[in-house]
Amino acid sequence: MEVKTNQFGVYTQALQNFSSRKQEPEWMLQLRLDALEKIEALELPVIERVKYNRWPLVVAPQLKAEQPALAAPIAKWVKDDPEAVRVVQTGNQTVVEQLPEHLKEKGVIFTDIFTALQTVPELVQEAYMQQAVKVDENKMTAFHTAFMTSGLFLYVPKNVVVSEPFEAIFIQNSEVTDSFMKHVLVLAETHSQFSYVEKYVTAGNEKNAANIIVEVIAKPGSKVKFSAVDQLGVQTTTYFNRRGHLEKDATIDWAIGVMNEGNVIADFDSDLVGDGSHSEFKAVSISTGSQIQGIDTRVTNYGRHSVGHILQHGVILDRATLTFNGIGHILKGGVGADAQQESRILMLSDKARGDANPILLIDENDVTAGHAASVGRVDPEQMYYLMSRGISKEEAERLVIRGFLGAVISAIPIKASRQELIDTIERKLSHDSE
Amino acid sequence: MSVLEVKDLHVSIEGKEILKGVDLTMKTNEIHAIMGPNGTGKSTLAAAIMGHPSFEVTQGEVLLDGVNVLELAVDERARAGLFLAVQYPSEIAGVTNAEFMRAAINARREDDDKISVLKFIKKLDEKMSILDMPEEMAERYLNEGFSGGEKKRNEILQLLMIEPTFAILDEIDSGLDIDALQVVSKGVNAMRGEGFGALIITHYQRLLNYITPDVVHIMMDGRVVKTGGAELAKRLEEEGYKGLSEELGLQITIEE
Ligand SMILES: Nc1ncnc2c1ncn2[C@@H]1O[C@H](COP(=O)(O)OP(=O)(O)O)[C@@H](O)[C@H]1O
Ligand SMILES: [Mg+2]
């Protein structure tokens, strides 16, 4: 007989109730309960050079009743645009779903994850925590699977090319005390092509945990442009996991602005499973105040002639910490694979702490791989040059940094989101207080 | 009329004295040339006037209409009217040439008087056409991946856009072919006039065939050793620095 010492066991009944209230399929409940059992024994994921085992990340969400609706008007974060292909979620609720008729007719699905679990359960079941991220990878993935309380499902069918960007806006409800357990599942069918932009913000000032997993399954020949502007609040402690699973000749271009105010552990991975698959990953980040952001970016080349490139640029102010780990792993069999990475950090204060660690693991001979990493200050020659044209020190610094972070800005397909990232960068740089 | 006076300027780098008392006066509506052998301190003079942080002024002053610019920060010197076109300009990724030049122009204007996008583009188009620069150069990142010649043109483009009172052009001719040299000279000549003065640093007389100087200074071993008219450059071309230094009775080793 099994002896249960699992402290999470007490949530079994609550999860059953939650799942039945959401009318989830039986397999989903089973997945949750299996994961629940595993949490206790699994370890936290290792993020090199970042110690976060004492962070309040493993905090179960409220399951008993629906979370109260957000009191704050969403207009602050969402500019009304009837043309936009858009989903807006406040807390656990989906409050806007805009998908034009012509896309619906083509079979595109862009909806709340619980809706998808009812309307297209087999599509969700095939991919959800199965192909990209696995339930029992670590404590955070199991915890997520057990306690996911909100999410989004995007499905683009075979050969469908969508020119309008899909836009998802997630507003964490921290008017209440409740963990933010968000799942985004993006399924790009064979030879589909589209771009997707997501943004995370926080409303309210309660201290909360966030656990966000984003899975992008790119089927053969599909092309996905994925961009994000993360701006979770100072009181939010976040575990972020974005993972691409790329099949033959699939491409994902990632452009991520990691602009949160609170402590963040992020794991951004691309599994280049198929031959000829290609991931271009670009991330920019700013750490301010006393916040810690630790970002692990990994590309694993399984497929022959697969290409994985990583570019990470970060800026640190005040007493903040920013760590970039770039991991390029070419497995045996990945003949002709290419793994390149560049991680650079600019420190704008004496008390800033920055780390850029390139890690290359290569198990195949016939490959190309390379890395560049640096942690330093704004180049005084660049400053001198700009100032010699009459530009003030502050403005010169702003220009150099804007340029340094520009790689992600230009990759964002929605003008308003691009501007939002620029504004966020300016805001973070200008509250250079301490 | 404006006046730029360099008085008894001594400059060291890493404890080594490079400029040993330079004196020089120039006015707007004048073009001066400084010639001299390599390693004699011409670039040091230019950098010290502009305020490069590596150079330490140990003695002397640089007065712009009576104000000692050595007491001003680099950006203040620029806004006071100084401009330096350098041999090896910095590359700045992610900042477009146009964005940079607009920031430079606006740095000289009040908050409620910024140049409009339209006016800016018009001016930029006009100046770029003087320099035979393709339009796409405006949207490229500042000096990033520019060839040597493109960088030089871009320095002169900034000169035309910013319209300073005094410009120092440090070896703007080096590495340019004749066509490029003519284009760059055309740019500088377009600035000639009442409100503008230039100090052209060059190793060779060649550039001065296109931009005729009013005054020529010869610099050797950290000092201005002779000043004359345009004919001095021609003489130098014939006699070489060696001949001149012997004539002046200077004990200087010159590698040419
Ligand atoms: N950054 C530097 N560090 C050390 N020495 C320098 C530096 N820049 C110039 N020098 C030295 O100063 C002297 C004058 O150089 P420079 O002003 O460049 O001469 P010019 O422009 O006349 O060729 C040379 O001996 C050169 O080696
Ligand atoms: Mg020189």
Side-chain angles (χ1 to χ4, degrees):
Chain A
M1 201 185 86
E2 198 190 338
V3 181
K4 279 202 174 155
T5 57
N6 193 332
Q7 58 156 314
F8 292 96
V10 302
Y11 291 100
T12 307
Q13 187 60 50
L15 277 176
Q16 280 168 342
N17 294 347
F18 178 87
S19 182
S20 96
R21 196 168 71 242
K22 294 289 186 187
Q23 298 174 19
E24 288 181 354
E26 179 55 29
W27 60 263
M28 186 67 179
L29 174 61
Q30 208 47 58
L31 196 69
R32 287 180 184 277
L33 296 178
D34 290 348
L36 187 71
E37 279 197 17
K38 290 175 176 148
I39 302 170
E40 184 92 36
L42 287 165
E43 299 288 334
L44 287 170
V46 174
I47 309 283
E48 291 290 333
R49 306 198 200 191
V50 186
K51 274 187 82 168
Y52 67 98
N53 53 327
R54 299 172 75 103
W55 291 12
L57 278 168
V58 189
V59 181
Q62 305 292 339
L63 296 168
K64 289 197 191 76
E66 287 300 324
Q67 193 183 63
L70 192 74
I74 64 169
K76 184 177 168 196
W77 302 283
V78 186
K79 298 275 161 292
D80 224 13
D81 177 7
E83 301 293 307
V85 182
R86 172 186 282 174
V87 169
V88 180
Q89 297 184 346
T90 57
N92 296 342
Q93 291 154 21
T94 294
V95 293
V96 176
E97 271 191 21
Q98 290 176 186
L99 182 64
E101 215 43 57
H102 73 272
L103 292 179
K104 284 184 194 157
E105 280 162 16
K106 286 179 181 150
V108 172
I109 302 167
F110 191 38
T111 191
D112 188 279
I113 192 121
F114 295 108
T115 308
L117 278 165
Q118 288 178 32
T119 54
V120 284
E122 64 295 339
L123 284 180
V124 181
Q125 185 175 17
E126 182 195 321
Y128 182 85
M129 297 302 289
Q130 304 300 319
Q131 293 173 1
V133 183
K134 310 291 190 322
V135 177
D136 57 0
E137 273 178 31
N138 56 56
K139 191 185 285 295
M140 300 311 291
T141 56
F143 177 69
H144 177 93
T145 312
F147 289 106
M148 187 277 289
T149 51
S150 71
L152 174 71
F153 180 68
L154 170 59
Y155 177 79
V156 180
K158 190 172 170 181
N159 295 332
V160 171
V161 176
V162 181
S163 54
E164 309 94 313
F166 292 94
E167 183 183 15
I169 300 172
F170 302 114
I171 304 170
Q172 179 195 17
N173 184 351
S174 285
E175 293 172 348
V176 295
T177 302
D178 193 5
S179 294
F180 184 70
M181 305 288 303
K182 178 78 66 188
H183 195 98
V184 175
L185 180 57
V186 178
L187 260 181
E189 278 292 357
T190 307
H191 292 296
S192 63
Q193 281 184 36
F194 59 93
S195 59
Y196 166 84
V197 182
E198 62 178 17
K199 123 168 148 191
Y200 294 84
V201 295
T202 301
N205 293 309
E206 295 301 319
K207 284 195 170 67
N208 280 320
N211 178 316
I212 302 162
I213 294 186
V214 178
E215 300 184 277
V216 181
I217 315 292
K219 293 282 176 69
S222 61
K223 287 190 170 23
V224 180
K225 286 188 189 300
F226 184 107
S227 48
V229 185
D230 304 344
Q231 308 163 70
L232 291 163
V234 64
Q235 302 289 13
T236 302
T237 304
T238 306
Y239 166 76
F240 229 124
N241 185 339
R242 288 191 172 99
R243 180 84 53 89
H245 172 91
L246 293 89
E247 299 182 6
K248 188 174 188 315
D249 296 325
T251 301
I252 304 180
D253 290 338
W254 307 88
I256 318 279
V258 186
M259 298 288 156
N260 305 290
E261 302 286 343
N263 290 345
V264 175
I265 281 299
D267 212 334
F268 299 144
D269 305 324
S270 299
D271 288 320
L272 302 171
V273 176
D275 293 349
S277 56
H278 188 152
S279 170
E280 289 289 332
F281 181 90
K282 294 190 175 113
V284 295
S285 184
I286 303 180
S287 281
T288 59
S290 55
Q291 90 177 120
I292 299 170
Q293 296 191 95
I295 302 170
D296 237 35
T297 299
R298 172 177 65 74
V299 174
T300 304
N301 301 65
Y302 299 84
R304 298 164 71 91
H305 301 287
S306 56
V307 177
H309 293 168
I310 298 170
L311 181 144
Q312 312 184 90
H313 281 188
V315 174
I316 320 176
L317 287 79
D318 311 328
R319 284 171 290 123
T321 301
L322 179 62
T323 300
F324 282 141
N325 296 318
I327 304 159
H329 190 175
I330 303 182
L331 291 166
K332 187 98 200 125
V335 174
D338 181 35
Q340 306 288 343
Q341 55 168 294
E342 178 190 326
S343 299
R344 299 196 187 279
I345 291 180
L346 285 183
M347 302 212 279
L348 301 188
S349 112
D350 293 334
K351 300 198 182 82
R353 298 207 300 192
D355 223 330
N357 313 309
I359 301 164
L360 275 177
L361 306 164
I362 298 177
D363 308 329
E364 178 58 58
N365 292 322
D366 182 17
V367 300
T368 50
H371 62 80
S374 63
V375 177
R377 310 227 153 228
V378 175
D379 179 0
E381 283 293 332
Q382 292 187 336
M383 289 295 290
Y384 166 71
Y385 185 64
L386 294 176
M387 287 172 70
S388 80
R389 298 304 182 243
I391 297 169
S392 70
K393 185 159 181 270
E394 297 71 41
E395 174 79 0
E397 199 168 82
R398 211 181 57 86
L399 275 174
V400 171
I401 293 167
R402 252 260 306 276
F404 178 67
L405 300 176
V408 162
I409 298 171
S410 56
I412 296 176
I414 298 176
K415 188 159 180 264
S417 306
R418 222 163 29 234
Q419 192 54 47
E420 184 162 0
L421 179 56
I422 292 170
D423 294 346
T424 305
I425 289 171
E426 306 277 302
R427 196 182 62 241
K428 287 204 117 197
L429 292 177
S430 65
H431 91 198
D432 192 354
S433 51
E434 286 157 72
Chain B
M1 186 194 70
S2 285
V3 187
L4 182 66
E5 296 166 275
V6 179
K7 288 185 167 174
D8 191 31
L9 192 67
H10 291 248
V11 175
S12 296
I13 182 156
E14 290 162 7
K16 183 177 153 209
E17 183 162 72
I18 308 292
L19 297 189
K20 301 167 181 172
V22 173
D23 288 281
L24 193 155
T25 300
M26 59 182 296
K27 303 189 179 78
T28 44
N29 212 6
E30 289 176 357
I31 304 264
H32 290 227
I34 293 195
M35 303 182 69
N38 278 328
T40 217
K42 303 184 298 292
S43 294
T44 302
L45 173 64
I49 294 174
M50 200 68 235
H52 191 289
S54 303
F55 297 84
E56 191 198 350
V57 176
T58 54
Q59 198 177 315
E61 47 191 13
V62 177
L63 305 177
L64 175 57
D65 293 330
V67 175
N68 189 1
V69 299
L70 299 181
E71 283 159 14
L72 303 179
V74 175
D75 57 321
E76 293 170 328
R77 296 182 197 196
R79 292 196 298 273
L82 298 181
F83 179 92
L84 170 59
V86 290
Q87 280 173 279
Y88 306 105
S90 287
E91 302 187 0
I92 300 176
V95 177
T96 67
N97 219 359
E99 183 181 15
F100 157 66
M101 277 185 244
R102 229 178 118 209
I105 289 175
N106 279 333
R108 291 164 169 77
R109 291 165 156 248
E110 294 301 323
D111 274 346
D112 56 3
D113 184 37
K114 300 297 183 199
I115 190 167
S116 75
V117 177
L118 220 65
K119 267 197 173 146
F120 172 77
I121 290 175
K122 195 162 163 267
K123 181 169 183 178
L124 188 63
D125 281 349
E126 183 196 319
K127 305 301 183 192
M128 286 178 81
S129 78
I130 294 179
L131 297 172
D132 279 347
M133 290 171 80
E135 251 175 72
E136 51 99 15
M137 295 281 292
E139 287 311 314
R140 279 173 63 184
Y141 292 149
L142 179 53
N143 293 322
E144 197 187 49
F146 284 27
S147 70
E150 284 172 337
K151 283 181 178 163
K152 299 269 153 97
R153 272 180 216 222
N154 208 42
E155 291 290 286
I156 300 303
L157 177 62
Q158 292 169 45
L159 169 71
L160 301 187
M161 291 299 287
I162 291 172
E163 302 177 282
T165 314
F166 287 107
I168 306 170
L169 311 177
D170 191 1
E171 297 218 20
I172 202 70
D173 51 336
S174 69
L176 291 187
D177 60 29
I178 288 291
D179 290 346
L181 196 64
Q182 282 176 333
V183 168
V184 162
S185 306
K186 192 167 117 198
V188 178
N189 286 326
M191 285 291 297
R192 272 191 119 127
E194 287 294 325
F196 177 72
L199 183 61
I200 297 172
I201 295 173
T202 179
H203 185 72
Y204 301 105
Q205 197 267 338
R206 188 178 69 148
L207 175 67
L208 306 180
N209 293 334
Y210 300 97
I211 310 170
T212 314
D214 301 299
V215 182
V216 174
H217 309 272
I218 310 293
M219 217 175 133
M220 287 188 196
D221 193 27
R223 288 188 187 88
V224 173
V225 294
K226 194 169 175 64
T227 296
E231 75 291 341
L232 184 56
K234 296 231 161 61
R235 236 183 79 198
L236 197 64
E237 169 111 310
E238 286 147 21
E239 297 173 22
Y241 288 114
K242 210 168 193 140
L244 190 76
S245 96
E246 278 162 14
E247 180 199 309
L248 292 169
L250 297 172
Q251 305 292 318
I252 298 168
T253 4
I254 290 163
E255 337 136 23
E256 281 189 49

